[in-house]
Amino acid sequence: MNIFVTGGAGYIGSICVEELLNAGHQVTVFDNLTEGHRAAIDPRAAFVQGDLALPESVKAALAASKADAVMHFAANALVGESMTDPSKYFRNNVNGGINLLQAMVECSVRKIVFSSTCATFGTPDRVPIDETLPQKPINPYGESKLMFEQMLRWYDEIHGIRHVALRYFNAAGASERFGEDHRIETHLIPNILKVALGQKSGVSIFGTDYPTPDGTCIRDYIHILDLAQAHMLALTRNESAKYNLGTGGGTSVREVIAACKKVTGRDIHVVEEPRRPGDPARLIASSEKIHTELGWTPRFQAIESIIESAWKWHLAHPKGYETGS
Ligand code: UDP
């Protein structure tokens, strides 16, 4: 298939592009490179530098790609930033999304796989979180992704565009070639590994008074290659669906730090800090539905194996992509 990938220069997009190409698909990456990196785009893919904010630019690139399907990763994705700059999230994630959907209508592209998030659920009444739980976001990031999910329903009903929305839990790890490199790094695992590399003096724990066994937040970390695999399976589905995507296991911030110490063999200095606004205590996925309907099963369950792949990539690219390494 020909796949048009928005955000294909970003962390998750770049690795899904690599897997699509490995599976024999043809890929056009559409990215404005504000968050992504040129060096993260697999050289086997075609690349168009463009912006979802410009309807004509999206439409022209989509038409030229002759796409059979779209994978839509391009978005702003930081909970904390969304709490201080909500306009950025609604403008880029919602308006940009409308331009993409309109271009799909005009170019008759009838399939989209969408990067959604567990942040659409807010603070869940129970875990694991399955697809029947109500979506009540507690930050503008989650709200912007939920708004796009809701729009998808109408583009299906009115224009016949089939969607698969994947609500990622915490993507982590790396492939052999591509890894996680944000210009401003807020995520837990890369921040810990920067301490292990000697690039940061310590890692902050945001909140030690959560109602969890060790007082720190629990998240469901999923290996980026398992996540990419779910995208491959999503392409095979002809009906619209929404799936939660995690391993079903929960790891606390302190447990992640301990696992990083073990994997790297290096000491990690820890600084305990107050809670970060917008963080729910515990997010764990039920991925029963995608397992049953698409046969998806994560290959990497242990947090150590996820961290090992990330550590290997960070050791090989200590300065990320900007050095051209
Ligand atoms: N976190 C932390 N220190 C950091 C970064 C994150 O304690 O330097 C915590 C954060 O509060 C959350 C968890 O680690 O509970 C995962 O955060 P991350 O930003 O990696 O992903 P998110 O869950 O926000 O998507």
Side-chain angles (χ1 to χ4, degrees), residues 21 31-32 45 79 99 114 130 132 158 167 187 207 215-216 226 236 273 275 289 293-294 311 316 323 325:
L21 291 161
D31 199 302
N32 63 10
V79 167
N99 292 339
F114 171 53
D130 63 38
T132 65
I158 297 163
R167 285 94 169 236
H187 293 102
T216 66
D226 284 329
T236 65
E273 296 208 38
R275 293 182 179 193
K289 189 177 173 206
E293 293 187 5
L294 298 185
W311 179 232
T323 55
S325 56

Side-chain angles (χ1 to χ4, degrees), residues 33-318:
L33 298 183
T34 56
E35 301 291 335
H37 305 271
R38 184 68 185 84
I41 302 172
D42 193 308
R44 295 172 290 173
F47 173 52
V48 177
Q49 184 165 355
D51 203 312
L52 288 179
L54 304 171
E56 287 310 315
S57 144
V58 195
K59 191 183 156 189
L62 185 62
S65 75
K66 303 200 179 342
D68 302 299
V70 168
M71 283 195 184
H72 179 33
F73 299 95
N76 292 106
L78 301 179
V79 167
E81 183 186 56
S82 80
M83 295 291 281
T84 57
D85 190 0
S87 300
K88 179 174 178 181
Y89 282 72
F90 294 119
R91 191 182 305 116
N92 293 345
N93 296 359
V94 182
N95 275 7
I98 294 170
N99 292 339
L100 176 64
L101 289 170
Q102 183 57 28
M104 289 179 69
V105 171
E106 288 170 13
C107 298
S108 303
V109 181
R110 303 252 185 267
K111 191 179 269 197
I112 180 168
V113 181
F114 171 53
S115 296
S116 191
T117 168
C118 61
T120 58
F121 288 100
T123 304
D125 298 335
R126 60 180 156 82
V127 291
I129 302 170
D130 63 38
E131 290 78 359
T132 65
L133 278 177
Q135 288 172 290
K136 294 180 287 186
I138 59 166
N139 50 62
Y141 165 59
E143 189 78 64
S144 70
K145 289 283 185 172
L146 178 57
M147 288 166 83
F148 191 83
E149 279 198 12
Q150 289 167 338
M151 291 193 297
L152 285 174
R153 173 184 159 205
W154 296 106
Y155 282 82
D156 183 348
E157 244 179 82
I158 297 163
H159 293 296
I161 294 177
R162 305 286 179 243
H163 61 261
V164 176
L166 299 172
R167 285 94 169 236
Y168 309 154
F169 282 60
N170 286 61
S175 74
E176 291 288 326
R177 292 166 66 196
F178 302 114
E180 188 167 11
D181 176 16
H182 298 109
R183 290 188 179 83
I184 298 173
E185 191 52 81
T186 63
H187 293 102
L188 180 63
I189 292 176
N191 270 333
I192 302 171
L193 297 181
K194 280 178 192 284
V195 180
L197 283 170
Q199 295 175 355
K200 282 186 67 176
S201 57
V203 67
S204 303
I205 298 185
F206 296 134
T208 53
D209 59 348
Y210 283 97
T212 58
D214 69 16
T216 66
C217 285
I218 292 178
R219 295 286 180 273
D220 183 343
Y221 295 88
I222 168 173
H223 197 296
I224 190 81
L225 290 176
D226 284 329
L227 202 137
Q229 196 49 38
H231 287 74
M232 304 300 131
L233 293 169
L235 277 182
T236 65
R237 192 175 157 97
N238 292 321
E239 294 303 315
S240 292
K242 297 185 171 70
Y243 298 113
N244 296 352
L245 203 59
T247 63
T251 312
S252 74
V253 174
R254 286 194 204 281
E255 287 168 342
V256 173
I257 294 170
C260 287
K261 275 188 191 168
K262 193 170 143 199
V263 167
T264 63
R266 302 192 183 174
D267 196 33
I268 311 287
H269 178 64
V270 166
V271 185
E272 295 190 0
E273 296 208 38
R275 293 182 179 193
R276 189 173 70 174
D279 271 343
R282 192 190 289 257
L283 292 172
I284 298 173
S286 162
S287 295
E288 273 307 303
K289 189 177 173 206
I290 189 165
H291 176 68
T292 309
E293 293 187 5
L294 298 185
W296 178 80
T297 306
R299 282 185 300 148
F300 302 90
Q301 294 275 3
I303 188 72
E304 284 82 5
S305 62
I306 297 175
I307 293 168
E308 265 162 28
S309 69
W311 179 232
K312 198 170 158 194
W313 192 82
H314 282 276
L315 278 175
H317 306 82

